[in-house]
Each structure stands twice: as C-alpha cells, then as structure tokens.
Amino acid sequence: MKTLSYAGTVGLASLLSYWLTVTIMSDVHLSHEDGRLGGMCAVIATIFVLRASRQKSLHAAFARMSATLVSFALCLAYLAIWPFHPWGLALLVAISVLIPGLIGQPDAEVTAAISTTVIMVVASLSPREAWKEPILRLADTIIGVAAGVAVAILLNEIGRGRRGGWRSQHEGPQADPPG
C-alpha cells in the first residue's frame, strides 16, 4: 500500500509539473514538440526531487539544480559559438562530470552529464536556434524542481497530522534516476 501511495503521488506531481511547464512556457518554447520536450524535462526533475521528506527533497533539489546549472553554462557557452558535433558532446559530457566532482558535488556528476547530453542532442535537432535550448531546459527544470519540492513540503505538512506521515509512506528512489 505504501508503494501504491508513493506511485500515485509521483504520478500526480508529474502531471502538475508537465501541465505547468507546457502552460507557462507555451509562448516561449520553439515549437509544439519543444513544449512537450520541456514538459518531459520538468517531469524528470519532479521525479528526481520528490523524496520521502522535505529535507531529502531539498537536498535532491539542490543536487539537481547544481547539475543543471553546470550543464546550462557549458552548453550555452558551446552552442553560442559552435553547432552540435559529436566531439563537442563528448567533451561537454566529460567536463560536466569533472566540474561537480571538483567543486565537491559528486551527487551532481551523473545528472550534469545526462542533462548536457539531452541539451546537446536536442540542440542538434534545431540547429538554427540551438543556443536557446540550454535556456529553455533550465526554465523547464526549475518548474519541475519547484513542483517536486512543493509537493514534498505539502505532503510533509499533511503527514504531520497523521501518524507516521509521508516519511513512512516511502523512502523514495534508492539511486538517483537519470535526467
């Protein structure tokens, strides 16, 4: 029953972040498809940060945003000068892993590399406006992280009124999911 409750919560939080992203960002996304991609990025961020407690969710949100900011900066700098190239992708993925490790954020290494990969590959699909992709994916991720944290805080508050509360419902993912 705990797993069913957690699954339902993650599903509803994902719906919220998807809806918010495609609604709020509808005038900004480059196309209908890009809007759906933005919704996907927001959902992944929501899933990543929605944990068993407010504290765990805030820690996951910090790790997710750290990784996203590294990816954002690298991809924006690269795409402002050069078009997508597989060697550029490989270089940015390597740097995306290196930077969080060097600044003491090893939890962000894999997520930064995955975020960089998503941004670079999506940029290859629309090369004329490729430099916009890091900005859009940052905005989508912020919405998803905010939705995940908001739901975690809400459930924490609701859980205070029930014996055991949200913390006993589910401990969340054992390992950080990709995205």
Side-chain angles (χ1 to χ4, degrees), residues 19 24 40 49 52 67 74 79-80 82-83 104 110 123 127 136 140 147 159 161 164 173:
W19 178 80
I24 292 171
M40 178 190 73
V49 303
L74 290 173
L79 293 168
W82 299 291
V110 171
L136 293 170
D140 301 331

Side-chain angles (χ1 to χ4, degrees), residues 128-149:
R128 279 188 271 173
E129 298 179 317
W131 65 271
K132 292 181 180 179
E133 289 301 330
I135 298 166
L136 293 170
R137 300 300 72 95
L138 174 63
D140 301 331
T141 300
I142 289 170
I143 293 169
V145 166
V149 169

Side-chain angles (χ1 to χ4, degrees), residues 12-77:
L12 290 174
S14 296
L15 175 64
L16 173 66
S17 67
Y18 183 85
W19 178 80
L20 285 171
T21 303
V22 297
T23 301
I24 292 171
M25 301 286 291
S26 65
D27 292 334
V28 179
H29 283 125
L30 303 175
S31 66
H32 175 76
E33 292 79 12
D34 191 59
R36 300 308 171 253
L37 176 67
M40 178 190 73
C41 290
V43 168
I44 290 169
T46 299
I47 293 166
F48 184 90
V49 303
L50 190 55
R51 303 293 174 95
S53 70
R54 180 178 57 186
Q55 182 177 357
K56 288 180 181 179
S57 292
L58 291 174
H59 177 75
F62 179 78
R64 176 67 185 170
M65 288 309 304
S66 296
T68 299
L69 290 171
V70 166
S71 176
F72 162 78
L74 290 173
C75 292
L76 183 62

